[in-house]
């Protein structure tokens, strides 16, 4: 089984959350050489967060190979600010970096169940990791920051559900509310899968038709599918990778009705599974800074195409 809220289908042997946390922290020193470190944050803030004063994420957690000096394509960008008058001026995009690098320190909090409309599920999870210790939570932040820069250059207003600035979470229901409250024109949740070796490629998760409790996706199913189709096409073109060979029947699209982040959304939203971290070939791509930049470009192109339609 994969490891996180957006991956509940049996696609390979499941490892315990505790084992995954150990992989993410106890990486051999030789594997750390030349890798980029992203510090965890703790502002002791609002709902669902741990108490102030919790330790920040350890400085020995790996995120991927260090970017090459002087290579602008492979440089992790910082927020660039919105470009006035760009083609996406007046549009709001919410980017949801999957998981949180600090989740493994807060297992009791992220294991708490939250209402997703159809049932109750875990608040969040640690996410997966590659065999080399490249964590999904670090991957999603890096790609999301690159995506933000690309969208802001086109004039979009970009908001994050989290930016490594909180000790854990947010929970999946809070992530959905964030996009709703922002009245976002599009929401994209960035992830990487944790499936079996040999399972390769990307896929886009679309909301299914759900109307139960606080969940009602009927108004967003159509526009979310259009957003997902645009992103899938652009992602394939930008990265040169193929749609998943194990989910979606070769279309790169997968409809789900069991995900809190989609069920509770009232604005167009999709999840992007960029590849399978447990497959060595996919993991090598996900660890490449230049490939991550292309992945961000593909998402940006797909979102822009959708918003300019």
């Amino acid at each position: 089984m994969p490891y996180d809220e957006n991956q509940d289908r049996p696609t390979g042997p499941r490892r315990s959350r505790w084992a995954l946390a150990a992989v993410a922290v106890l990486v051999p020193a030789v594997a750390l050489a030349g890798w980029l470190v992203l510090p965890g944050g703790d502002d002791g803030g609002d709902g669902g967060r741990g108490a102030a004063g919790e330790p920040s994420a350890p400085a020995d957690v790996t995120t991927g190979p260090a970017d090459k000096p002087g290579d602008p394509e492979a440089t992790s960008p910082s927020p660039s600010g919105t470009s006035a008058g760009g083609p996406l001026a007046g549009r709001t995009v919410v980017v949801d970096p999957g998981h949180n690098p600090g989740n493994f320190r807060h297992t009791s909090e992220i294991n708490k169940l939250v209402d997703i409309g159809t049932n109750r599920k875990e608040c969040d999870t640690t996410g997966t990791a590659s065999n080399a210790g490249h964590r999904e939570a670090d991957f999603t932040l890096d790609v999301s920051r690159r995506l933000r820069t690309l969208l802001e250059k086109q004039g979009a207003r970009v908001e994050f559900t989290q930016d490594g600035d909180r000790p854990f979470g947010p929970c999946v229901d809070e992530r959905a509310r964030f996009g709703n409250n922002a009245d976002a024109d599009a929401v994209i949740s960035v992830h990487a899968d944790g499936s079996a070796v040999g399972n390769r490629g990307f896929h886009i998760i679309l909301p299914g038709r759900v109307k139960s409790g606080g969940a009602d996706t009927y108004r967003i199913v159509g526009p979310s599918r259009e957003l997902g189709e645009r992103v899938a096409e652009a992602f394939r073109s930008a990265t040169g990778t193929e749609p998943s060979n194990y989910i979606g029947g070769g279309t790169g699209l997968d409809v789900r009705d069991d995900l809190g982040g989609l069920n509770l959304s009232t604005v167009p939203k999709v999840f992007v599974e960029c590849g399978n971290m447990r497959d060595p070939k996919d993991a090598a791509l996900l660890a490449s800074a230049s490939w991550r930049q292309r992945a961000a470009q593909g998402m940006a192109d797909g979102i822009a195409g959708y918003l300019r339609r």
Side-chain angles (χ1 to χ4, degrees):
M1 291 280 289
Y3 313 102
D4 57 83
E5 194 266 347
N6 60 307
Q7 303 161 349
D8 283 338
R9 296 178 180 175
T11 55
R14 181 167 188 156
R15 300 187 180 186
S16 72
R17 179 174 292 104
W18 296 105
L20 179 58
V23 169
V25 177
L26 300 178
V27 180
V30 65
L32 297 179
W35 286 57
L36 175 65
V37 174
L38 287 177
D42 186 347
D43 57 10
D46 55 38
R49 302 187 189 186
E54 291 286 344
S56 61
D60 59 350
V61 175
T62 62
T63 67
D67 300 335
K68 295 179 181 179
D71 180 359
E73 184 183 54
T75 300
S76 295
S78 58
S80 61
T82 299
S83 175
L88 299 184
R91 298 290 196 160
T92 299
V93 178
V94 168
V95 177
D96 176 30
H99 313 290
N100 182 313
N103 275 359
F104 77 98
R105 291 184 179 274
H106 297 273
T107 53
S108 62
E109 291 93 342
I110 67 171
N111 283 339
K112 291 180 180 178
L113 300 181
V114 298
D115 186 359
I116 67 165
T118 54
N119 61 307
R120 296 176 67 81
K121 295 187 71 172
E122 292 171 318
C123 157
D124 201 4
T125 69
T126 59
T128 190
S130 71
N131 292 332
H134 185 192
R135 300 188 306 177
E136 181 185 3
D138 296 314
F139 168 83
T140 64
L141 270 176
D142 180 82
V143 173
S144 295
R145 289 166 177 165
R146 295 170 186 270
L147 174 59
R148 172 173 57 195
T149 297
L150 293 168
L151 290 172
E152 286 180 341
K153 286 181 178 178
Q154 298 188 64
R157 175 186 178 189
V158 181
E159 298 186 16
F160 271 30
T161 58
Q162 61 92 15
D163 196 6
D165 52 357
R166 52 185 293 164
F168 67 91
C171 296
V172 294
D173 57 338
E174 185 182 349
R175 290 175 187 263
R177 287 195 299 272
F178 193 102
N180 299 344
N181 292 340
D183 194 22
D185 295 291
V187 182
I188 190 161
S189 188
V190 182
H191 287 268
D193 208 353
S195 187
V197 174
N199 289 346
R200 298 196 60 196
F202 72 89
H203 64 278
I204 315 297
I205 303 177
L206 314 175
R209 293 188 180 276
V210 174
K211 191 168 186 178
S212 177
D216 185 353
T217 63
Y218 275 62
R219 291 175 55 188
I220 69 164
V221 165
S224 295
R225 171 168 284 275
E226 183 175 354
L227 171 62
E229 289 173 346
R230 297 265 187 169
V231 171
E233 180 181 1
F235 192 92
R236 182 177 188 176
S237 176
T239 64
T241 53
E242 293 299 315
S244 169
N245 63 7
Y246 62 103
I247 289 177
T251 66
L253 303 174
D254 184 37
V255 177
R256 300 281 296 271
D257 61 5
D258 60 334
L259 305 181
L262 295 179
N263 285 2
L264 300 176
S265 183
T266 59
V267 294
K269 181 174 182 178
V270 299
F271 283 36
V272 180
E273 294 287 350
C274 296
N276 176 19
M277 288 195 127
R278 308 303 294 182
D279 176 83
K281 292 180 179 178
D282 265 15
L285 294 176
L286 299 175
S288 164
S290 60
W291 189 91
R292 294 195 300 271
Q293 184 67 25
R294 292 195 296 274
Q297 187 67 62
M299 293 182 211
D301 291 346
I303 293 168
Y306 167 76
L307 294 179
R308 295 198 304 260
R309 70 195 189 285

